Amino acid sequence: MTVIHIDYSPVHELATSLFAYQDRKNQLHDLGNKWRKQMEKHLSDSFDARLDQLQFCDHISFLHLLILDSPAKHEIDSYLNWMAELGEGELYERLSPYLEEGPGMSIGLKAFRDGSVDVLREWQQACHISDHILGSLQRSAARVEELSRTLSYPDLIDAATSGVVLDLEEELEFILLIPAYHIKPLNRIDIMNDKQLVVSYAVDDEQMNEDTPTSQMLRMIKSLADEKRLILLHILAAGPVTFTELQQKTKLSKSNLHYHLSLLKTAGLLRMHLKKQGERYKYSARPESFDSLRDMLESYVFGLNRDK
């Protein structure tokens, strides 16, 4: 039986925000380079080098798994003090189920512990995570927890990530789902040992007032406002289709096709079918997203000034 954890913690978001900072090659994060430049003003000159030495992006899932079982995860300073005092034996005991028969860590456990505490302490001073963000994450975790009572885990992951479909050959033993703000509108997925899954799923901004459209709705509308992307969705309605097959059908260059698929993906308008870690996705259209868009448009347009 698959064990599912939906875990909210400000420490998870601290780690995720640091991942978003280091993930510079990905230009689809909403916060982007302007936000990174603002963060850099508050960081020491050696920070990026220490982050690279830790290989933080490669090891973040181990950190999330450690946070999951920590008795101090609900407060950042308490968690960092707790992690700093963890002995190597206890650290190994907590992480050994995820280290065995897998790629493991490219650095030692002591280096992972000390390096993580070091960079997270400094990062905490630079990156303030507002109560508004934390409240949104907590509410999302509660919604996904409710869904988990009625949905199978593939359907739950599809719902949480707005389109990631696991077509795995073997059933998973363990799934950790973490609501995340700073990586939006992207998701991060790690399959460990072909048995455990760690998913940080994007939580969009909530509507601040009835006069302001949500980021999700705007992203969906903009994604549809292009002939090439509409053609792609028309093809994908009969999917799943591989990237190569899409390229043959559309005659688009690899870079151009990747760009259009990325926009459709971040808008939640397509599904990405994954069989195993490292294997290329297949793609298909996500019909329910069009129903969601219609409902959002009707609510926003016709709901304005309803009582006036």
Side-chain angles (χ1 to χ4, degrees):
M1 182 178 177
T2 304
V3 177
I4 300 173
H5 288 280
I6 297 97
D7 199 48
Y8 157 78
S9 164
V11 191
H12 281 309
E13 188 58 27
L14 183 71
T16 300
S17 63
L18 183 51
F19 169 82
Y21 170 81
Q22 192 179 33
D23 190 28
R24 295 173 183 271
K25 63 182 180 181
N26 201 322
Q27 298 300 307
L28 291 174
H29 296 294
D30 276 1
L31 294 175
N33 287 325
K34 182 178 180 180
W35 169 76
R36 292 189 186 96
K37 292 294 184 183
Q38 291 174 339
M39 295 300 102
E40 286 174 354
K41 296 177 183 178
H42 305 284
L43 298 168
S44 64
D45 292 341
S46 65
F47 184 81
D48 283 2
R50 284 150 46 213
L51 199 57
D52 290 339
Q53 186 176 15
L54 179 61
Q55 300 173 52
F56 187 80
C57 287
D58 295 332
H59 296 138
I60 187 173
S61 288
F62 293 109
L63 182 58
H64 283 309
L65 291 163
L66 200 60
I67 295 167
L68 171 66
D69 290 327
S70 170
K73 67 182 179 183
H74 297 297
E75 204 279 320
I76 292 174
D77 283 327
S78 297
Y79 172 80
L80 293 175
N81 291 336
W82 173 84
M83 187 175 178
E85 294 171 3
L86 269 183
E88 288 184 67
E90 184 179 355
L91 188 57
Y92 176 77
E93 184 177 342
R94 288 176 177 272
L95 293 179
S96 59
Y98 318 107
L99 293 168
E100 295 171 356
E101 301 178 8
M105 287 187 188
S106 54
I107 61 175
L109 286 174
K110 184 176 184 300
F112 166 73
R113 180 198 63 199
D114 295 345
S116 296
V117 171
D118 174 47
V119 297
L120 285 171
R121 283 199 194 281
E122 183 168 347
W123 179 247
Q124 179 193 11
Q125 303 305 313
C127 182
H128 173 68
I129 303 173
S130 70
D131 290 339
H132 172 71
I133 291 173
L134 294 176
S136 295
L137 299 178
Q138 193 167 23
R139 287 187 289 274
S140 176
R143 287 193 293 270
V144 174
E145 183 73 49
E146 184 70 25
L147 288 174
S148 71
R149 299 186 181 120
T150 57
L151 296 180
S152 65
Y153 76 72
D155 288 341
L156 181 66
I157 292 167
D158 183 6
T161 60
S162 298
V164 174
V165 177
L166 297 176
D167 294 331
L168 303 178
E169 296 178 358
E170 296 184 10
E171 186 170 347
L172 292 166
E173 295 178 356
F174 172 90
I175 296 171
L176 173 59
L177 284 166
I178 306 162
Y181 174 84
H182 283 80
I183 59 170
K184 70 183 180 70
L186 304 179
N187 304 294
R188 177 179 168 85
I189 300 174
D190 278 323
I191 300 176
M192 311 173 78
N193 305 346
D194 295 324
K195 299 176 182 177
Q196 296 102 7
L197 182 73
V198 178
V199 179
S200 296
Y201 68 91
V203 175
D204 249 315
D205 295 302
E206 297 176 331
Q207 189 167 9
M208 298 298 293
N209 59 70
E210 65 176 12
D211 296 325
T212 305
T214 64
S215 298
Q216 181 186 7
M217 185 170 70
L218 290 174
R219 198 177 289 120
M220 294 173 82
I221 293 170
K222 290 176 181 178
S223 294
L224 291 170
D226 182 274
E227 180 182 3
K228 294 184 180 66
R229 291 195 285 277
L230 287 174
I231 291 172
L232 280 170
L233 287 170
H234 174 72
I235 296 169
L236 292 170
V241 182
T242 67
F243 185 93
T244 301
E245 290 168 337
L246 278 175
Q247 194 178 12
Q248 291 170 347
K249 289 176 181 289
T250 61
K251 308 303 180 186
L252 293 171
S253 68
K254 287 185 179 180
S255 59
N256 204 358
L257 178 56
H258 179 75
Y259 168 75
H260 290 299
L261 286 174
S262 295
L263 291 181
L264 291 170
K265 175 181 67 175
T266 56
L269 292 167
L270 57 76
R271 282 193 166 93
M272 301 179 298
H273 301 256
L274 177 64
K275 284 190 173 293
K276 58 185 178 181
Q277 186 83 328
E279 185 177 71
R280 291 189 179 276
Y281 289 101
K282 286 187 177 181
Y283 302 89
S284 65
R286 191 166 182 259
E288 61 266 41
S289 61
F290 293 87
D291 294 333
S292 298
L293 177 57
R294 181 199 62 210
D295 292 343
M296 284 189 286
L297 276 170
E298 288 181 350
S299 176
Y300 175 70
V301 174
F302 298 106
L304 285 178
N305 305 316
R306 182 178 299 161
D307 298 325
K308 293 183 179 180

